[in-house]
Structure formats: C-alpha cells, structure tokens
Amino acid sequence: MTRSAPDATGPATTPSGEAPARRSLRVRLTAITAGLLCVALAAGAVSLTTVLSRSRVAALDDIVRERASTVAALADDDRLPDALPVREPGEVVQIVDAQGRVVASSPNASRTLPVLADAEVEALLRSADRDPGEVVVGATDASAYDGPARVAVVGARHDGEDVLVVATVPVAEVRDLLRALSLALVGVVPVLTAGLALAVWLVLGRALRPVEQMRRAAEQVAVAGGPGSIPVGPRDDELAALARTLNTMLDRLDAAAARQQRFVADAAHELRSPLAAVRATVDVARAHPDAYPVAELAADLEPEVLRVQSLVEDLLLLARVGARPTPADAADLADVVRGAVSASRFAVPGAVVPRLEVRDADAGTVRGDVDALTRVVRNLLDNAARHAAGRVVVTAGAHEVVVEDDGAGVPEADRERVLERFVRLDEAREREAGGSGLGLAIAREVAREHGGDVLLGSSSLGGLEARLALPVPRAADAGATASRATGTPGTARTTRRP
C-alpha cells in the first residue's frame, strides 16, 4: 500500500483520499500554554519541596548543634543537671564516656541504651574534617529511639574524663510535611493546569473571533469570485492592520481583474474593425488576383496592420499600468521632453506637422519612470500635432510639462470625457490620422500611477492646453533642482517643422 506524497497546493492525504483532521490554532495554543504551565508548576513544586526540605533540615541542624554545644558547656563546667534539657519533640541528648556508657541523658531517653552505637559515632567523627571542640553535624538512620534523625556530636570533659555529647532530633516531622506537601501539589497542579487551559481556551476563542470573521469573509470572496472586503475590528490593533492590508490587497486584485476584463473587452471591440478591413481586402485580392497587384495589396494592408500594431501596444501598456511598482528614478523634465520630441510625430522624416517650440529653461527634476513619463509627453505631443492649426508649444517647468496648440480645442464639457478610453470627438479625422483613442487615456493613467495627473484646459494660443502635473519633489530632489538652477541655465529653443 502506497502513501500519497504531500502536494504543494494542499495537505497530504490518507490512503483513503481524505485529508487528515486539522488541529486548530486555538487547540494548539491551548495545549502549548497548558503544557508549559504544567511544566512550570511541576518545576515550582519540586523547587518548593527542595527549599522547604533544606530549610527545615538546616533548622534541625541548628537545634542539635545548639543543644550539643550547650550540654558540652555544662559538662565542662561540671554543672550538669540530673536530666539533660531538651525542647523539641523527640529530641534526645546524652553524654557517653570512652567505653560507650551513658553518663547523662535527657528525660525521654534511657541511661542504659545509647541513642547511637559507638560504631555510628566513630563513623560520623571520621567523616568530618573538624577541629578539636567543633560540633559535628550529620544524618543517621540508626537512632535507637526515632530512626532517621539529625545528629550532633561534640567532645567535652566531665569529672576529669573525656566524654562525647550526642544530640539527635527526628526528621519524621519533616518527611511527613514534605509528603503532605507533595500530595497536595500532585492534586493542585492538574487542577490549576485544567483551570488555566479552560481560561486560555475561552480567551483565545474571544481573541480569535475576528480572525474567524476575516476567514469567513475571505472564503465568501473566494466562493463568490467577485469584489468583497474583510471586516475591520473596532480596535486599532494588529488584527485591524491585517484586515486593512488584506482589503488593500483585495482592492488591487479587483483592480487587476478589472484591468484584465477591460483589456479583453477593449481588444475585442477595437480589433474587430481593422481585422474586418484586412479580411475584406484579402477576400477581394483572392477573388480578383489579376486585378489586385501585390504592391497595391501591400499598400492597402499596411495602414491597417500598423493600426492594429499600435492598438495592441497601447492596450498592453494600459494593461501593465498599476500592475507593478513605479520606479523612483530621477527624471529631468528637460530630458523627458527632448526624448518625447525625438519619438513623436515631429521627428518622422517628411511628416506634415505644425511648428514646434520647446521651452525648458525652468525644467526641474522629479521621481518616476523616465520611459513612462516620456511616453506621456509623446502622447500629448502627438495629440497636439493632430489637432494644431500651425503651432505647438511644449514647456517644461519645475514639476510639470505643458503642451499647447492653436487648434480648435476641446469644449469644457468634453475635456474629462476625451481622457477616457476610445473616446474620439472627431471620429473620421481621428481614424484617418491613425489615432486609436487611447493616447490621452494612457497619458492620464500613467500620470496618476506617478501620483500626478493630466489636466486639460484652454491654451493661450487659442487651442487646447494639456498639462502633465507631477508631485512636488522631495527635499533632496528640490536641492538637486536648485543646484541645477545655479549652474548654466537652459535656453528656450524653437524647433521649426515644415
């Protein structure tokens, strides 16, 4: 039996073809948080038990050390009472001589049974690196009275003989306390973990509710296949920022889809006429081959082919507008104007065009795509060349380029309309001149992509004024423009065409 490999577009599937159960983010975060808390509580419980155990044992050591020192001092001063003093429950203190016999004892111990055997005492003393008279403290499991205990041993003098003071205190109380604490923690840790897991589950459910709303809205957009938006929460937090970013992305996707649909519709509509003309010409040439020479056929087809080529290039350019980031190169408007003139109809050898005047004395520097801005100015020049009576003036300013002509102009009511796609106020003349109705539309969309616009108005020459207005350059660009102004100023040039 083979297993299906994970696919790049989706999760791996089981042999039965079904996708494995998906664990939600809420479940995973709850499990991770509860697990970390359980580990932290367990570590805290162990640390607490260890600290309590060590602190209590240290306290017992202090007790037996103090008791042994006190009794040793009494023995040295020959002031031993009949019963050696003790205070803690189960505490035992005895004095034994060199032969291991009990010389004195606390009331709760026998004078005949040493609390520790001689061998245990000797082992304790050997294990300690001590100075004479120093109290040795240790642990023992061989107490004759209480089993496990803490023990202190110190040497002393009594009745002129060397004796040992042995003091013990049982650790059973400590063990009982730690056992009770451990049992309590074993019960408390799971309860706290479960309680926090429930709290985290509820809090995450509330926190992730906007995410679920965003997911459902995105799913609706995906199912509907049309425009839509992601709900933005009332709080200005990370989720709201994510929703706004997704809405911006959806808007760009909608705009891209609209551009694509409009491109297809425009191409289908505009290519129909020239293709029909080409088809008709070919049909006539096929039906009358003798009456339609090849040279005449080529002459008739060339304008339509060039028209189709120009139309396709314009449509492709419009389809690319807004589909990629706009370059932010430094663009000298004087160079942009010169490049546009050299690529326009005014540079075509033998073309019948009006007289052109170029003024770039005050040209500045802007940020943008030099080729795209050149295309905008070229389209404005070509439009002016088609409609001017005899004169066209192009002026490059600090952050704008103005193209004026002395033609008939455009009525104010139609100035916004002529900036739309495929709008021709003079259909016959526009087609004869080779225009596709896209030149001004391309100019405006490219200008708006750069943050500017193309505005139409009345020219001082009597015709139309087309103004490419671009954003005011930043401080650095303004400085560059100022340094340019302090250098050799440009001069107004007039280019005359027949």
Side-chain angles (χ1 to χ4, degrees):
M1 180 169 51
T2 59
R3 295 183 180 179
S4 57
D7 188 88
T9 59
T13 57
T14 61
S16 61
E18 298 180 356
R22 182 183 59 182
R23 290 187 298 173
S24 68
L25 178 63
R26 186 180 182 185
V27 172
R28 284 180 288 160
L29 289 177
T30 302
I32 292 173
T33 305
L36 291 176
L37 175 68
C38 185
V39 171
L41 289 177
V46 172
S47 300
L48 177 62
T49 303
T50 303
V51 170
L52 287 178
S53 174
R54 291 180 178 179
S55 63
R56 185 56 184 165
V57 168
L60 294 179
D61 289 347
D62 292 339
I63 291 173
V64 294
R65 182 182 291 107
E66 180 184 1
R67 187 70 61 231
S69 298
T70 301
V71 172
L74 292 175
D76 290 338
D77 295 339
D78 290 329
R79 293 186 294 110
L80 286 177
D82 294 336
L84 300 181
V86 292
R87 293 181 181 178
E88 296 293 326
E91 182 183 1
V92 175
V93 59
Q94 291 179 334
I95 297 178
V96 296
D97 58 16
Q99 288 74 34
R101 294 173 298 185
V102 178
V103 175
S105 177
S106 58
N108 57 347
S110 172
R111 282 181 174 269
T112 59
L113 179 62
V115 66
L116 286 181
D118 291 343
E120 289 290 330
V121 175
E122 292 296 331
L124 180 62
L125 293 175
R126 285 196 303 268
S127 65
D129 184 12
R130 67 187 183 94
D131 297 329
E134 182 181 355
V135 180
V136 177
V137 180
T140 181
D141 292 328
S143 173
Y145 297 95
D146 295 296
R150 300 300 294 180
V151 59
V153 179
V154 64
R157 296 281 295 178
H158 179 61
D159 292 337
E161 296 181 0
D162 291 332
V163 295
L164 291 176
V165 179
V166 181
T168 65
V169 64
V171 296
E173 179 187 356
V174 177
R175 292 189 176 183
D176 293 341
L177 175 63
L178 295 178
R179 186 179 298 110
L181 180 60
S182 299
L183 292 176
L185 291 176
V186 167
V188 169
V189 169
V191 172
L192 288 178
T193 302
L196 181 68
L198 178 60
V200 170
W201 176 266
L202 296 177
V203 171
L204 285 177
R206 184 177 183 86
L208 294 177
R209 190 176 304 161
V211 178
E212 178 62 18
Q213 294 175 351
M214 293 165 58
R215 187 198 65 79
R216 292 179 180 177
E219 184 178 19
Q220 292 178 357
V221 173
V223 172
S229 62
I230 304 298
V232 180
R235 298 180 179 179
D236 189 12
D237 52 11
E238 290 80 359
L239 292 179
L242 174 61
R244 288 192 292 268
T245 302
L246 291 177
N247 284 332
T248 302
M249 180 186 69
L250 289 176
D251 292 341
R252 291 183 65 87
L253 291 176
D254 290 340
R259 284 196 304 270
Q260 183 180 11
Q261 293 175 357
R262 186 163 51 178
F263 170 76
V264 174
D266 292 344
H269 175 74
E270 291 298 320
L271 291 176
R272 185 181 297 114
S273 296
L275 291 178
V278 171
R279 178 63 182 272
T281 303
V282 172
D283 289 343
V284 171
R286 183 183 295 111
H288 306 284
D290 297 334
Y292 214 141
V294 175
E296 186 177 349
L297 174 62
D300 290 342
L301 290 178
E302 183 179 11
E304 296 298 336
V305 172
L306 293 177
R307 180 181 166 197
V308 169
Q309 179 182 357
S310 176
L311 180 60
V312 169
E313 291 177 353
D314 289 344
L315 286 173
L316 289 175
L317 176 60
L318 281 174
R320 288 193 297 267
V321 172
R324 60 182 177 85
T326 303
D329 302 328
D332 189 311
L333 290 182
D335 295 338
V336 169
V337 169
R338 286 192 289 269
V341 171
S342 63
S344 67
R345 310 181 72 175
F346 291 96
V348 177
V352 179
V353 292
R355 185 181 64 182
L356 175 65
E357 298 178 14
V358 179
R359 301 171 181 173
D360 60 1
D362 298 325
T365 301
V366 297
R367 289 286 179 181
D369 187 342
V370 177
D371 294 337
L373 294 177
T374 301
R375 177 64 181 269
V376 172
V377 178
R378 192 193 83 181
N379 287 3
L380 298 182
L381 288 172
D382 287 343
N383 182 75
R386 284 193 294 267
H387 298 92
R391 184 184 177 195
V392 174
V393 177
V394 55
T395 304
H399 51 86
E400 65 179 10
V401 176
V402 180
V403 178
E404 301 176 87
D405 65 66
D406 60 352
V410 176
E412 184 176 357
D414 295 326
R415 287 172 185 168
E416 284 297 316
R417 194 166 66 89
V418 297
L419 292 170
E420 299 176 1
R421 300 183 181 194
F422 302 112
V423 173
R424 305 180 184 90
L425 298 183
D426 189 346
E427 184 78 12
R429 186 177 67 172
E430 193 73 30
R431 288 195 182 276
E432 289 173 1
S436 63
L438 291 175
L440 293 180
I442 290 174
R444 163 160 277 189
E445 294 200 23
V446 173
R448 288 182 172 178
E449 186 182 26
H450 283 73
D453 203 353
V454 170
L455 306 173
L456 301 183
S458 298
S459 169
S460 60
L461 302 181
L464 179 68
E465 176 190 276
R467 182 184 302 271
L468 168 61
L470 296 169
V472 177
R474 296 177 300 178
D477 298 333
T481 303
S483 63
R484 173 188 172 89
T486 57
T488 305
T491 55
R493 302 189 317 279
T494 300
T495 303
R496 298 181 181 273
R497 298 285 181 178

